[in-house]
Amino acid sequence: MSATHTTATEDAEGGTDTLPSREILTRLNAAYAQDILEMISTEAKPAREIAVECGASRATVYRRLNSLKEAGLVETEMQYDGNGNHRTVFETNFESLALEMTVDGLTVTFSGAGGGHSSTGSRPSAAGD
């Protein structure tokens, strides 16, 4: 018997959303995703700056940021300057991310700095297990 387990994460509207570990890993494996997370792990940055630093188009950076935000790994904030201008900046929503593979399945856990989420996906057992 196969089962997929997920843990709910709260979205901006106060509702909950679930994302299996495999989906989180897929998003982390996308081109530039890990570089982007590294860049915004210590300092919130706008997409334009991220694009320049990692050498990707802004469209690609926005796609990755939105995907990582849906996974609960990135959050946004509005920054204002003295002239009233504003821009959206992105930062990671966790301090650590762990991947664990057990007989029960794959678990991705991220915690700290607003994180504290876990997502688990189980694989079907092989015949004779």
Side-chain angles (χ1 to χ4, degrees):
M1 179 178 206
S2 169
T4 299
H5 307 283
T6 57
T7 299
T9 57
E10 192 169 318
D11 66 20
E13 288 78 38
T16 58
D17 195 11
T18 59
L19 208 53
S21 290
R22 287 186 188 273
E23 181 61 28
I24 293 172
L25 290 175
T26 298
R27 291 171 188 224
L28 288 170
N29 195 43
Y32 303 106
Q34 294 170 38
D35 293 335
I36 290 169
L37 286 174
E38 232 178 278
M39 284 179 220
I40 62 174
S41 66
T42 57
E43 177 185 359
K45 296 182 180 186
R48 180 180 300 216
E49 186 177 327
I50 295 167
V52 169
E53 286 184 32
C54 73
S57 70
R58 269 196 276 169
T60 296
V61 167
Y62 273 113
R63 279 193 303 274
R64 295 304 176 266
L65 287 166
N66 289 332
S67 176
L68 294 168
K69 185 177 178 183
E70 289 172 4
L73 299 170
V74 170
E75 64 185 8
T76 60
E77 183 179 301
M78 193 64 68
Q79 278 186 348
Y80 299 91
D81 66 18
N83 297 328
N85 297 320
H86 63 281
R87 66 182 182 175
T88 302
V89 293
F90 300 84
E91 60 188 334
T92 56
N93 193 29
F94 63 94
E95 287 182 11
S96 67
L97 186 137
L99 172 65
E100 182 180 21
M101 176 72 88
T102 66
V103 294
D104 294 327
L106 183 67
T107 302
V108 174
T109 305
F110 45 104
S111 59
H117 305 293
S118 175
S119 181
T120 305
S122 297
R123 61 173 175 77
S125 58
D129 280 352

